[in-house]
Amino acid sequence: MGQTLQIERANQLKNKPDVSTIKFGTVFTDYMFTNRYTSEYGWSEPSIIPYQNLQLSPSCQALHYGQSVFEGLKAYKNGDDVLIFRPDENFKRMNQSLSRLSMPEINEENALNALLELLKVERDWVPDGDGQSLYIRPFVFADEPFLGVRPSESYQFNIILSPVASYYGAQLNPSSLYVESDFVRSVRGGVGFAKASGNYAASLLAQKKANELGYEQVLWLDGVEQKYVEEVGSMNIFFVRDGELVTPKLNGSILPGITRKSLIELANYKGYTVKEESIHIDDLANDLHSGRITEVFGAGTAAVISPVGRLNIHGVDHIVNDNQIGPVSQDLYDHFTDIQYGRQEDPFGWVVKL
Amino acid sequence: MGQTLQIERANQLKNKPDVSTIKFGTVFTDYMFTNRYTSEYGWSEPSIIPYQNLQLSPSCQALHYGQSVFEGLKAYKNGDDVLIFRPDENFKRMNQSLSRLSMPEINEENALNALLELLKVERDWVPDGDGQSLYIRPFVFADEPFLGVRPSESYQFNIILSPVASYYGAQLNPSSLYVESDFVRSVRGGVGFAKASGNYAASLLAQKKANELGYEQVLWLDGVEQKYVEEVGSMNIFFVRDGELVTPKLNGSILPGITRKSLIELANYKGYTVKEESIHIDDLANDLHSGRITEVFGAGTAAVISPVGRLNIHGVDHIVNDNQIGPVSQDLYDHFTDIQYGRQEDPFGWVVKL
C-alpha cells in the first residue's frame, strides 16, 4: 500500500437484490478491494476491481498450509448517511491475527482508507431496511504456488461486501448452547485469539454434535483443564449475575471480540458493573440453578447480542429467564444498535461516517 | 467418483526439468487429477486434466473457514518400474482428516485407482536420479462461495505431482531441534492428528523463533501439561534408548505418520524392540545427559529418517552421537529406502507397482 489506489470500472453492474429475502453471505456487490504482497515489494498493488473469481495455483499455500485470516464488520444506512462501526478495531485485530500466523501486517490507516473508498463506490449497496446492513469481509491469504511448510512469500488482501438482512427478523429469539467437554477449540499458546481460518474448520464437528443433540451452538471450555468457560466460537459469552455483567477474561485462547469490548465499554458507561474473570463451569451451573444468573447472551458482529434461553452443562439443561430475552440484554442491544445505526448519540467516537 | 474417469489431453507438454537442480515443491507435471463434490451429487466428476489454475470465488469457504486437508506420498523409479509407497494408507488417513473437519470422505479405492491412472499418464515425470522421486500431493478443500460457519456444500479433491530431488543430497546431515515450551501445536480434543491446513499455519511462528535461536526445527510438547514430547510438526520423533526404539504413543494430538508406522513395523521385523510411550521432557533430558539415549531421529515422508544431532531442552543443548547419524538410524534408513526403491524385497506388501 502507500501507492495510489487504482479503480477499474465494471462494464455492467448487477441488479440490486431484495435484501430481505437473501441468505446471509451469498450475495456480493459489484466491486472488491484487492492488494498484493510479495516479499520483494511489500503491499504494492492496491486497487478496486470488479468482483471476480480468484485465479489460484493448485499449490496455493493457503489451501495446503492454512495461512489465512479474516475480519468481519458492518456498514449501516441512516437516511443518506453510511455508518461503519469501529473499522479501526478490525484492522488492528487483523494485524494481530496476521502476526500470529507469520503473515505480513497491513498498514491499518491505508486499509481503512481503502475500505472507505470501496464503500464510496458501493454506497448504493448499503441496504436501508430495518436491521439490514452491508457486511464487510476483509481477508488475507497466502497465494504463493509452493508446497513447503514455511511462511509464504506472497499474499492477497481482499475486501468483499455482502448485503445482509437482520440476523433475527422482528425479534431476538433465544438460542440454546451445549457445553462441549470432549472436543477442544483452542489452548493457551495456540491461535485461539486469532481470526484464523483453521479455528473455524476445527469447530465444525462439535457444532454438528451439538446440533444433533438439539442445541444450536457450542459453548467451549478451556483446552487445559476443560473447566473454564471460553466462548461460543462465533460469539463471546456474557452472563448477568447478581445484576452485574460477567464475561470470561481474555486469556490467549479466546477471541477478543470487538462487540465484546464495545459492550463492556457501553455497559460501564450506562452504570452497569462489568467483571472479566475466569468462570468455572461448576460455578456457572450452580449460579444458573440458584438463580444468581438471570440472563445469558452471546456477543458478536453478526447478531450483536444473541440471548441464550437454554444451556446444557454436563447433561443437565438449564433454562434461562424462561427462555425469553432479559431486560439487561434488551437494554444493551437497543442502545448498542441505536449507536450503530446513528439513532442515538455515539459518545465513544465508534462510528465512522462515510 | 464411481463415475468414469475422464481424461482431457493437454495441447502442449512442458519440458522436463533437471530434477537435481529444482527446489522442492515448485515444479509440477503436465496433468492433475480433480474431482468435485456437491451435497446433491456427491463425488461425481473425476477427471484428469491439464495442470491449471483453480478459479475460486473470493468467498471460497476454505480461504475463510479453513476446511482443507492434504496428504503427501512419493513414487519412485526402479529401472522401468514405478513404485508407490503405501498409497492406501494415505487415502485412509485422508478420510480420518476429512471426517474430523466435517468434510465428505472420499472412496479410497477410487482414489487409489485415480492416482494410478494419473501416474500412468505422467510416468515419464518420475525421475530416476539417485534419491529422486515424484512427490504426490492429494488435497481436498471446500469451495462453496458462502460466508458462514458451517460445513461447505461443495468440495474439490485434487492430486498434483511434483518431481523432487533427494532431500539430503549425498548424505544424512543431522539437524537441530528446539523444544518449544510457550507455543502449543495441538491439544487432545483438537485436530492435531489430522493433516489439516490450519495446523501448519499455526506452527510457523514457533518455527521462526527456533530458527532465530539457531535451531532448524521445533520439537513440540503436549498442549495440556507442556511436559510430554509430541512431534516435530513435519515429522514424528524417535529415540534409541538402551538400544531400543522409543517414540511417543499416539494420543490424538500427534500426527499418525505413515513413515512412523512403517518404521515401527520394519524395526520389529528386523528384531529391534520398539516402545510407544509417553516421554516426559525431563526424562528425555536426563537420558540424553546420561547417555542412555544414543540416537534421535525424525521420521516423515520428505526425508524418511532425519537424524537429530542437537536438541535444546529448556535452554540446555544436548549433542546426540557427536552430531553424526547413528548406526540404528542408518540401518533403518538404508533398509527403508531400499524397500521404497525396490532394491530390497518388500516382505510387507507396502510397495504398489504401477
Side-chain angles (χ1 to χ4, degrees):
Chain A
M1 317 230 277
Q3 301 197 351
T4 317
L5 184 64
Q6 304 292 324
I7 301 185
E8 181 195 329
R9 290 283 165 186
N11 292 324
Q12 202 178 350
L13 301 184
K14 301 170 187 170
N15 292 319
K16 306 276 187 304
D18 175 359
V19 175
S20 66
T21 64
I22 61 182
K23 247 177 65 186
F24 187 97
T26 56
V27 173
F28 298 90
T29 68
D30 293 302
Y31 291 92
M32 59 191 283
F33 169 76
T34 185
N35 198 352
R36 192 125 200 295
Y37 175 97
T38 60
S39 47
E40 192 172 1
Y41 298 107
W43 292 111
S44 57
E45 298 171 35
S47 52
I48 290 171
I49 60 174
Y51 187 88
Q52 61 195 261
N53 276 347
L54 310 171
Q55 296 257 358
L56 301 176
S57 163
S59 64
C60 169
Q61 203 270 9
L63 294 177
H64 297 265
Y65 302 114
Q67 278 190 300
S68 183
V69 307
F70 71 91
E71 277 297 328
L73 68 162
K74 284 179 173 175
Y76 307 88
K77 197 95 171 230
N78 181 352
D80 286 339
D81 290 337
V82 171
L83 308 174
I84 310 135
F85 188 74
R86 307 194 83 172
D88 51 323
E89 289 288 337
N90 289 91
F91 292 122
K92 189 170 138 194
R93 184 173 63 184
M94 179 171 256
N95 270 342
Q96 291 161 358
S97 299
L98 289 168
S99 172
R100 180 61 184 85
L101 295 195
S102 296
M103 299 166 72
E105 295 187 24
I106 55 167
N107 179 308
E108 295 171 27
E109 195 184 328
N110 289 351
L112 179 54
N113 287 336
L115 172 60
L116 297 178
E117 289 305 314
L118 178 63
L119 287 173
K120 279 180 197 159
V121 173
E122 298 291 59
R123 177 183 276 275
D124 292 345
W125 276 93
V126 186
D128 58 7
D130 192 33
Q132 297 177 353
S133 57
L134 188 66
Y135 181 77
I136 300 165
R137 169 57 60 95
F139 62 108
V140 181
F141 69 93
D143 69 357
E144 186 185 355
F146 170 64
L147 295 184
V149 184
R150 63 146 172 78
S152 175
E153 296 191 348
S154 67
Y155 298 85
Q156 290 185 25
F157 168 32
N158 298 320
I159 304 177
I160 56 178
L161 307 173
S162 177
V164 296
S166 168
Y167 197 80
Y168 286 114
Q171 65 178 63
L172 299 176
N173 288 314
S175 67
S176 53
L177 300 184
Y178 178 81
V179 175
E180 176 55 49
S181 48
D182 292 323
F183 294 117
V184 172
R185 177 185 170 274
S186 182
V187 66
R188 53 92 186 83
V191 300
F193 70 86
K195 280 190 91 70
S197 64
N199 287 338
Y200 296 84
S203 75
L204 297 172
L205 199 55
Q207 173 70 33
K208 184 180 166 201
K209 173 182 159 191
N211 293 348
E212 285 171 357
L213 291 168
Y215 299 86
E216 282 162 89
Q217 294 207 58
V218 171
L219 180 60
W220 295 99
L221 300 179
D222 74 287
V224 177
E225 299 188 54
Q226 298 184 288
K227 286 180 182 165
Y228 294 93
V229 175
E230 297 230 313
E231 59 167 274
V232 183
S234 57
M235 299 190 295
N236 294 109
I237 187 92
F238 283 79
F239 305 95
V240 179
R241 189 185 65 199
D242 299 332
E244 299 175 340
L245 279 168
V246 189
T247 191
K249 69 175 177 191
L250 299 181
N251 60 359
S253 54
I254 296 176
L255 189 86
I258 293 163
T259 306
R260 174 190 182 278
K261 176 181 178 170
S262 307
L263 267 177
I264 291 172
E265 291 173 54
L266 177 64
N268 278 321
Y269 173 82
K270 289 170 74 73
Y272 290 100
T273 298
V274 185
K275 290 179 173 162
E276 299 176 70
E277 57 185 52
S278 294
I279 301 169
H280 196 291
I281 190 65
D282 293 344
D283 293 336
L284 176 60
N286 290 336
D287 291 345
L288 283 164
H289 185 70
S290 73
R292 271 190 84 189
I293 289 180
T294 52
E295 299 180 40
V296 180
F297 62 86
T301 294
V304 179
I305 279 181
S306 174
V308 175
R310 191 163 60 103
L311 217 154
N312 186 296
I313 303 177
H314 301 329
V316 179
D317 254 2
H318 299 263
I319 304 298
V320 186
N321 195 45
D322 280 336
N323 204 19
Q324 304 293 319
I325 184 167
V328 177
S329 311
Q330 186 75 55
D331 179 36
L332 289 170
Y333 176 82
D334 289 343
H335 200 149
F336 201 95
T337 52
D338 279 353
I339 292 174
Q340 288 178 320
Y341 281 91
R343 295 185 297 249
Q344 264 209 56
E345 190 203 352
D346 165 22
F348 309 101
W350 287 342
V351 171
V352 175
K353 194 183 283 187
L354 192 63
Chain B
M1 316 231 275
Q3 299 198 353
T4 317
L5 184 64
Q6 304 292 321
I7 301 185
E8 181 194 330
R9 288 286 166 185
N11 291 325
Q12 203 178 349
L13 300 184
K14 302 170 187 171
N15 292 320
K16 305 277 186 303
D18 175 358
V19 174
S20 66
T21 64
I22 61 181
K23 247 176 66 186
F24 187 96
T26 57
V27 173
F28 297 90
T29 68
D30 293 301
Y31 291 93
M32 60 192 284
F33 169 75
T34 187
N35 198 352
R36 194 128 199 293
Y37 175 96
T38 59
S39 47
E40 190 172 2
Y41 297 108
W43 292 110
S44 56
E45 299 172 34
S47 52
I48 290 171
I49 59 174
Y51 187 88
Q52 61 195 262
N53 276 348
L54 310 171
Q55 297 255 358
L56 301 176
S57 163
S59 64
C60 168
Q61 203 269 9
L63 295 177
H64 297 264
Y65 302 113
Q67 279 191 300
S68 182
V69 306
F70 71 90
E71 277 298 328
L73 67 162
K74 285 178 173 174
Y76 307 88
K77 196 96 170 228
N78 181 351
D80 286 339
D81 290 337
V82 171
L83 309 174
I84 310 134
F85 189 74
R86 308 193 82 173
D88 50 324
E89 288 287 336
N90 289 90
F91 292 122
K92 189 170 138 194
R93 185 173 63 185
M94 179 170 256
N95 269 342
Q96 290 161 0
S97 299
L98 289 168
S99 172
R100 180 62 184 85
L101 295 194
S102 297
M103 299 166 72
E105 295 188 23
I106 56 167
N107 179 309
E108 295 171 27
E109 195 184 327
N110 289 350
L112 180 55
N113 286 336
L115 172 60
L116 297 178
E117 288 305 314
L118 178 63
L119 287 173
K120 279 180 198 161
V121 173
E122 297 292 59
R123 175 184 277 274
D124 292 346
W125 277 93
V126 186
D128 58 7
D130 192 33
Q132 297 176 353
S133 56
L134 188 67
Y135 181 77
I136 300 164
R137 169 57 60 96
F139 62 109
V140 180
F141 68 94
D143 69 357
E144 186 186 355
F146 170 64
L147 295 184
V149 183
R150 63 146 172 79
S152 175
E153 296 191 348
S154 67
Y155 297 85
Q156 290 185 25
F157 168 32
N158 298 321
I159 304 176
I160 56 177
L161 306 173
S162 177
V164 296
S166 167
Y167 197 80
Y168 284 114
Q171 66 178 58
L172 299 176
N173 289 314
S175 67
S176 53
L177 300 184
Y178 178 81
V179 175
E180 176 56 48
S181 47
D182 292 324
F183 295 116
V184 172
R185 177 186 170 274
S186 182
V187 66
R188 51 94 186 81
V191 299
F193 70 87
K195 280 191 91 72
S197 64
N199 287 337
Y200 295 85
S203 75
L204 296 172
L205 199 55
Q207 173 70 33
K208 185 181 167 202
K209 174 182 160 191
N211 293 347
E212 285 171 357
L213 292 168
Y215 299 85
E216 284 161 87
Q217 294 206 59
V218 171
L219 180 60
W220 295 99
L221 299 179
D222 74 286
V224 177
E225 300 189 53
Q226 296 185 289
K227 285 179 184 165
Y228 294 93
V229 175
E230 297 230 314
E231 59 166 276
V232 183
S234 57
M235 299 189 295
N236 293 108
I237 187 90
F238 283 80
F239 306 95
V240 179
R241 188 185 66 198
D242 300 332
E244 299 175 339
L245 280 168
V246 189
T247 191
K249 68 177 176 190
L250 300 180
N251 61 359
S253 55
I254 296 176
L255 189 86
I258 294 164
T259 305
R260 174 190 181 280
K261 175 182 179 171
S262 306
L263 268 176
I264 291 172
E265 291 174 50
L266 177 63
N268 277 322
Y269 173 83
K270 289 170 72 73
Y272 291 100
T273 299
V274 185
K275 291 177 174 164
E276 299 176 70
E277 57 186 52
S278 293
I279 301 169
H280 196 291
I281 190 64
D282 294 343
D283 293 336
L284 176 60
N286 289 336
D287 291 344
L288 284 164
H289 185 72
S290 72
R292 270 190 85 189
I293 288 179
T294 52
E295 299 180 40
V296 180
F297 61 87
T301 294
V304 178
I305 278 181
S306 174
V308 175
R310 191 162 61 100
L311 217 154
N312 187 296
I313 303 177
H314 300 332
V316 179
D317 255 1
H318 299 264
I319 304 296
V320 186
N321 194 44
D322 280 335
N323 204 19
Q324 305 292 322
I325 184 168
V328 177
S329 311
Q330 187 75 57
D331 179 36
L332 289 170
Y333 177 81
D334 290 343
H335 201 148
F336 201 95
T337 52
D338 280 352
I339 291 174
Q340 287 180 319
Y341 281 92
R343 295 185 297 250
Q344 263 210 55
E345 190 204 351
D346 165 21
F348 308 101
W350 287 342
V351 171
V352 174
K353 194 184 282 188
L354 193 62

